Amino acid sequence: MNGNDLPSPIDVVALYKANNITKMRTYDPITETLPALKGSEIEVILDIPNSKLQSLGDPQEADNWVTTNVMSYAKEVKIRYINVGNEISPVNNGTSQFVPFLLPALTNVQQSITKSGLQDQVKVSTAIETGLLANTYPPSQSAFREDTMGFIKPIIEFLKQNNAPLQANIYPYFGYIGDPEHVQLPYALFTQEQPDPSGYTNLFDAMLDSVYYAIDKAIGENNVEIVVSESGWPSDGGVGASVENAATYYKNLMDHAKSTKGTIYRPGKPIETYLFAMFDENLKIGADTEKHFGVFHPDKTQKYNLTF
């Protein structure tokens, strides 16, 4: 939504339907989005922005948020997950200020959902980024960083207790540009044929399993599922960012996620994965690549001819 040339929410929902896209993640339930989704059958991840979390430490505020954004729409909009915050981390200067507010907000939103009787229908979670991990290669050695354990372990225990998945943003693109000497482009794009010494043929699976292994070590078992709440590749603006590479990544990611191959650590089932993002965002701040993650152009034409 960080663009001044994007279609209206009603047009976006029509575009989803026309392309047989059945799931959506929206980062802020602004007033136009949820009404546009009424009756659409699109399953939704509804984010609560980081800036809102402190206020949700008040149970009454959490009740108000759930009433306004969930209860008012639950009969006509398929809200599947509520993501309380995105990429909050004690080791990320951009989001560390929200760390004290995340678990209380999660707890209060969950209590509100339970009071509403929607706890089986709507799962409350949060989305992490892989900067919380240490020793990620080989993936089996991965663990959460010691300086994040006090933050992440209670969250994973909360998710386990409520039978909710952890949402994780997985970006082989950033793994590749962060260490191009050791991370080959084919490994990041799913085009490498031979496995690396750890048995993996692609970085996506290695990154995803790194999170699974870290969960295992944090709570001594691994029955918390992971939903890949973002993954994408930019088409312009930096190293490795091209229409050709992005098309290869998205097509291969979709084929892989839909197959029942799974990962080495979690084989035999599809991987619920959300592509980032629907549109290029010309107002997005940060690196120039941030403006070029769209699968669609703002004029609603496809960039890569993907089949959903």
Side-chain angles (χ1 to χ4, degrees):
M1 290 183 174
N2 282 324
N4 58 14
D5 55 357
L6 299 179
S8 71
I10 284 180
D11 285 349
V12 172
V13 170
L15 185 62
Y16 267 66
K17 287 179 176 176
N19 284 275
N20 194 34
I21 303 171
T22 57
K23 293 179 169 65
M24 174 189 291
R25 180 179 178 192
T26 182
Y27 289 82
D28 191 351
I30 60 167
T31 46
E32 298 93 346
T33 305
L34 288 166
L37 284 161
K38 282 185 175 181
S40 68
E41 297 295 305
I42 294 169
E43 293 185 347
V44 183
I45 300 180
L46 207 55
D47 272 52
I48 299 177
N50 295 346
S51 58
K52 181 87 180 144
L53 300 189
Q54 185 171 5
S55 67
L56 296 177
D58 176 351
Q60 187 58 54
E61 282 294 316
D63 286 349
N64 294 343
W65 191 93
V66 168
T67 298
T68 302
N69 297 290
V70 181
M71 295 301 294
S72 303
Y73 298 97
K75 287 189 172 68
E76 295 173 278
V77 179
K78 288 190 165 182
I79 299 169
R80 186 169 187 192
Y81 304 117
I82 296 170
N83 266 358
V84 181
N86 184 50
E87 296 190 343
I88 291 171
S89 164
V91 292
N92 178 334
N93 290 336
T95 62
S96 58
Q97 70 267 35
F98 303 112
V99 165
F101 313 131
L102 180 54
L103 192 58
L106 277 166
T107 303
N108 289 339
V109 171
Q110 179 66 56
Q111 286 174 348
S112 297
I113 290 291
T114 303
K115 275 192 285 189
S116 307
L118 295 174
Q119 67 275 13
D120 296 328
Q121 180 184 331
V122 180
K123 292 298 178 182
V124 179
S125 185
T126 190
I128 65 162
E129 43 99 12
T130 49
L132 293 171
L133 302 174
N135 307 322
T136 53
Y137 190 85
S140 59
Q141 296 303 305
S142 177
F144 289 110
R145 288 174 48 153
E146 278 296 321
D147 50 2
T148 71
M149 277 296 284
F151 161 72
I152 194 65
K153 186 177 178 185
I155 289 167
I156 293 167
E157 287 169 340
F158 165 89
L159 297 173
K160 180 190 161 195
Q161 182 183 344
N162 291 287
N163 195 27
L166 177 67
Q167 312 257 344
N169 298 339
I170 305 285
Y171 280 97
Y173 173 72
F174 293 120
Y176 163 66
I177 65 166
D179 191 7
E181 191 181 334
H182 295 104
V183 178
Q184 301 296 311
L185 187 61
Y187 188 60
L189 292 176
F190 295 91
T191 56
Q192 180 172 306
E193 292 182 6
Q194 294 303 316
D196 69 2
S198 67
Y200 288 82
T201 56
N202 70 81
L203 182 54
F204 178 87
D205 282 359
M207 293 176 80
L208 181 53
D209 275 355
S210 292
V211 184
Y212 272 123
Y213 278 111
I215 292 171
D216 205 351
K217 294 183 176 85
I219 63 169
E221 58 186 294
N222 200 336
N223 52 10
V224 174
E225 292 293 323
I226 295 171
V227 169
V228 179
S229 42
E230 285 180 27
S231 193
W233 196 283
S235 59
D236 198 2
V239 176
S242 67
V243 170
E244 183 185 16
N245 285 346
T248 300
Y249 182 75
Y250 284 114
K251 283 175 180 168
N252 289 337
L253 171 62
M254 288 169 66
D255 288 345
H256 179 61
K258 285 189 291 190
S259 77
T260 54
K261 206 171 181 181
T263 65
I264 292 175
Y265 196 39
R266 284 295 185 94
K269 60 183 179 182
I271 303 164
E272 187 174 348
T273 303
Y274 291 77
L275 306 186
F276 187 89
M278 191 68 176
F279 300 106
D280 282 349
E281 298 175 287
N282 64 0
L283 300 180
K284 192 88 181 277
I285 57 171
D288 196 38
T289 49
E290 294 291 331
K291 295 179 170 68
H292 301 284
F293 274 90
V295 170
F296 286 78
H297 296 292
D299 67 1
K300 300 189 285 189
T301 57
Q302 266 226 44
K303 235 196 257 185
Y304 310 118
N305 298 316
L306 303 173
T307 304
F308 296 96

